[in-house]
Amino acid sequence: MPTQHRDFTLVDFPGRRLTVGSPDHTAREQPPHEVEIGPYRLADRCVSAGDFHAFLRDAPHRADHLLIDCLDPCFVVHRADGFALRPGCARYPMIQISYRGAAAYCDWLSRTEGLRPVYGGPSRTGTADRDGYRLPTEAEWEAACREGHPASTAPDPDDCNSGAAGPRCRRLRAGEHAAGAFLPGRPAPVPVASLPPDAAGLFEMLGNVREWCHDRYGPYGPGPLRDPRGAPRGAFRVVRGGSFADPPEACAPARRMAAHEDTRCEVYGFRVARSR
């Protein structure tokens, strides 16, 4: 795959034991419990609309409207001759993307690099231990976010694109630059890696877009657990990080939400991971 279509880099994280969850949020984050995760690699930023459009151009037969929503305020639209990237939108995160659409991108990227696809079979669960690209498990996501945001205080409003973003952050929003159909003065995404990185070298882990995780959603069970993968069945997946439309309290390392895997909305995006 041409390097100009892969803007992200992978950051290495070691295996470790950590406590996930928090008693300070909602019942979804309780009880706090210990997990153990193996080493992994996580993209330093969400997949951009430009990166995703490279997939759509190269493998249009692998994407349809069950995977992405091309209705406004999208960055990628559907034309008679296929999917098109709107002018000035390449650096914004790929939004309005379902869990299955994110998984399809991961498998395409794996194939382009000669890796074994994680989601390539009929099962939507995937095989997370393969060497291909995948979505991070929620434990991996939380471990990386906690490393980047060790303090318990809320992020600076100018460094986190939440519903209470500060002036510097708001100036970067899509509506201020005629990107997509977002309106000026309204909540909207900012370009990937446009805000300062956190202490782990990751961009926009909190705010901007909610990020799909590999796991099916379910209540936390008793710990300790080794490499948890979520509930054994169900059509709801874990999303993490909060978004440009969410209040600041939703943008915290332990906060978790659930979304149907077919959800396609302007507040949903994703970043990729790999097992090591």
Side-chain angles (χ1 to χ4, degrees), residues 54-252:
F55 158 53
L56 295 175
R57 290 200 320 270
D58 186 59
H61 58 289
R62 297 188 182 275
D64 58 34
H65 292 291
L66 294 176
L67 306 182
I68 62 174
D69 183 355
C70 292
L71 299 178
D72 283 340
C74 60
F75 298 133
V76 173
V77 295
H78 192 258
R79 306 298 191 199
D81 58 349
F83 295 98
L85 179 66
R86 277 180 156 165
C89 294
R91 297 296 303 152
Y92 289 89
M94 183 60 193
I95 56 172
Q96 296 170 223
I97 177 74
S98 71
Y99 172 91
R100 289 193 286 160
Y105 173 87
C106 289
D107 279 355
W108 169 78
L109 189 58
S110 297
R111 292 185 184 98
T112 66
E113 298 189 13
L115 305 172
R116 291 184 299 165
V118 169
Y119 303 100
S123 170
R124 296 181 183 177
T125 302
T127 306
D129 295 326
R130 288 184 174 178
D131 63 356
Y133 289 91
R134 58 176 173 80
L135 299 171
T137 69
E138 68 165 326
E140 291 170 342
W141 192 98
E142 184 169 336
C145 191
R146 286 184 181 277
E147 185 168 326
H149 298 268
S152 59
T153 57
D156 187 317
D158 263 337
D159 294 339
C160 178
N161 187 24
S162 72
R168 184 180 67 183
C169 188
R170 293 199 302 269
R171 286 194 292 269
L172 296 170
R173 286 175 164 175
E176 311 308 313
H177 302 274
F182 288 95
L183 298 175
R186 302 288 295 173
V190 301
V192 297
S194 62
L195 298 175
D198 63 22
L202 304 176
F203 297 94
E204 293 100 38
M205 283 288 280
L206 299 178
N208 212 30
V209 290
R210 301 174 191 168
E211 300 182 17
W212 288 109
C213 290
H214 180 84
D215 310 42
R216 286 190 171 100
Y217 179 83
Y220 280 149
L225 300 173
R226 169 73 184 186
D227 288 325
R229 297 285 189 262
R233 61 184 62 85
F236 284 80
R237 303 285 175 165
V238 175
V239 289
R240 289 288 195 132
S243 78
F244 61 84
D246 291 319
E249 56 267 24
C251 303

